[in-house]
Amino acid sequence: MTDVIFREATQADLPAVLALLADDVLGKARDFVEIDAAYEKAFADITADQRNQFIVADADGELVGCFQVTYIPGLSRHGAERALIEAVRVRSDQRGQGLGRRMMTWAIDQARERGCGLMQLTTDKSRHDAHRFYRNLGFVASHEGMKLAL
């Protein structure tokens, strides 16, 4: 793989980011590749919030991966901030080459440098390969996650 840099996404990256989000079985059912007002507002909200980062993996100007990190303040764990990582995607033609591990390692290192006491994520129960991937990175399925669609 060519050299990859991790950087904050820009408005110009939005079409490629949406393509990444829709580039898997679950994403195809819930995400769209057309930019509309809802996506533009969500992106503007993320980039305006200092507790959020939307990071892209850029390989010579092509986006090959992305993820969002939200830093959550809390009183538990002696007031430790935690990092929540979501929307982790690697472009389908780049999977299996170590990019996902590099992205997650980068995100974990950033959270440690920030002083976070915990990094957490949720992954759909049907994503068995993702479960194995996260376990290999040291994540532990220590809690039962629940969601309520609104």
Side-chain angles (χ1 to χ4, degrees):
M1 177 182 293
T2 56
D3 286 337
V4 175
I5 63 164
F6 301 112
R7 61 173 176 78
E8 292 205 40
T10 66
Q11 181 70 31
D13 296 323
L14 193 51
V17 166
L18 294 180
L20 285 167
L21 294 177
D23 186 27
D24 78 359
V25 174
L26 296 176
K28 283 179 171 76
R30 61 183 180 211
D31 289 306
F32 309 100
V33 294
E34 291 181 18
I35 298 172
D36 61 14
Y39 281 129
E40 287 183 351
K41 180 184 181 320
F43 185 78
D45 289 347
I46 291 166
T47 57
D49 184 345
Q50 65 184 5
R51 291 197 176 277
N52 274 286
Q53 293 180 304
F54 204 99
I55 304 298
V56 294
D58 183 323
D60 297 325
E62 283 190 63
L63 296 193
V64 292
C66 67
F67 56 91
Q68 179 178 343
V69 181
T70 302
Y71 298 101
I72 306 167
L75 292 174
S76 65
R77 298 180 182 262
H78 198 236
E81 190 173 55
R82 63 187 63 204
L84 171 66
I85 190 161
E86 300 182 296
V88 178
R89 297 290 194 284
V90 172
R91 201 171 71 191
S92 58
D93 66 335
Q94 300 293 313
R95 293 180 190 147
Q97 299 179 43
L99 177 59
R101 176 171 289 278
R102 287 175 60 195
M103 288 170 29
M104 290 298 297
T105 299
W106 186 90
I108 292 165
D109 289 346
Q110 295 296 307
R112 278 194 181 113
E113 285 179 27
R114 187 176 169 117
C116 291
L118 183 73
M119 177 166 270
Q120 62 190 32
L121 57 83
T122 61
T123 182
D124 193 276
K125 288 188 177 199
S126 69
R127 293 186 188 271
H128 303 290
D129 290 340
H131 302 167
R132 185 175 53 254
F133 170 72
Y134 292 123
R135 279 193 306 273
N136 286 337
L137 287 168
F139 285 84
V140 177
S142 60
H143 293 67
E144 183 73 21
M146 296 184 178
K147 296 190 178 194
L148 174 65
L150 302 177

